[in-house]
Amino acid sequence: MLQKSFMKTGMTHIETTQILVDKLQSVTQNLLYNLQRYHVPTTLVLIYTEEDISRLIEENKRLSDINVCIPIGSSYFNFIYLTFTEEEGGYAFIKALERKILTNVDHLLYFDGLVHENHNCYNFINSFLFNIEKQQACKENGDICLE
């Protein structure tokens, strides 16, 4: 059976998830440790684009934030870990990015707070990708997705 390419990566959803998990697991685990041990809130923002915006993100993030850009095929997945930030602050960060750098960039994004129960990095990253994929399907169908 022919597997559908996920989000212009040239790979399946499962293969894409595995690559992202391999590259993000150590950062995510470190931040989860800080959350559990020191109660440092962290919000994770995923921005999917088909062009590299990592330099622009680096110029607009705080020193304490971590941006990991992972190009796969024709897709760019920017995972931005907003340390010391609750979800409300993550929303404000996203709105500022949309105003400053994403106005002319076709993008999809999703954000959520890290919670100390996230022991399985694969499931956590996969849930982000499912939300991005759902947004893409809505966009292609001309629907409005409120997620």
Side-chain angles (χ1 to χ4, degrees):
M1 177 168 80
L2 185 62
Q3 298 267 340
K4 181 183 165 198
S5 177
F6 176 73
M7 306 291 287
K8 297 190 179 183
T9 61
M11 299 181 180
T12 65
H13 185 119
I14 294 169
E15 293 168 324
T16 302
T17 302
Q18 191 59 54
I19 289 169
L20 295 174
V21 167
D22 290 345
K23 296 193 185 266
L24 296 169
Q25 190 159 16
S26 64
V27 173
T28 304
Q29 293 302 328
N30 186 32
L31 291 170
L32 284 172
Y33 173 80
N34 287 337
L35 174 64
Q36 291 171 340
R37 175 87 181 191
Y38 305 111
H39 307 287
V40 176
T42 302
T43 298
L44 178 55
V45 177
L46 167 57
I47 302 174
Y48 167 83
T49 62
E50 293 176 13
E51 59 185 273
D52 188 1
I53 60 168
S54 59
R55 183 185 56 79
L56 296 170
I57 291 172
E58 285 296 323
E59 293 171 356
N60 289 281
K61 71 174 187 65
R62 300 170 305 187
L63 289 175
S64 62
D65 298 335
I66 301 166
N67 179 41
V68 180
C69 178
I70 304 170
I72 304 174
S74 298
S75 299
Y76 292 87
F77 297 90
N78 283 279
F79 286 85
I80 308 165
Y81 296 86
L82 304 172
T83 57
F84 306 103
T85 306
E86 299 286 347
E87 290 181 44
E88 297 83 17
Y91 182 77
F93 174 82
I94 288 169
K95 289 301 165 193
L97 273 185
E98 285 184 322
R99 237 183 358 266
K100 287 181 177 180
I101 67 172
L102 296 175
T103 54
N104 297 320
V105 176
D106 193 22
H107 66 281
L108 299 170
L109 57 86
Y110 183 76
F111 76 104
D112 201 358
L114 284 181
V115 292
H116 69 279
E117 291 88 20
N118 290 329
H119 297 294
N120 188 329
C121 191
Y122 186 89
N123 288 343
F124 184 65
I125 300 300
N126 207 30
S127 69
F128 273 81
L129 295 180
F130 276 125
N131 280 290
I132 292 292
E133 189 174 39
K134 187 188 323 179
Q135 288 179 37
Q136 180 68 28
C138 286
K139 192 175 184 180
E140 288 172 357
N141 293 332
D143 298 334
I144 297 174
C145 259
L146 301 174
E147 208 43 53

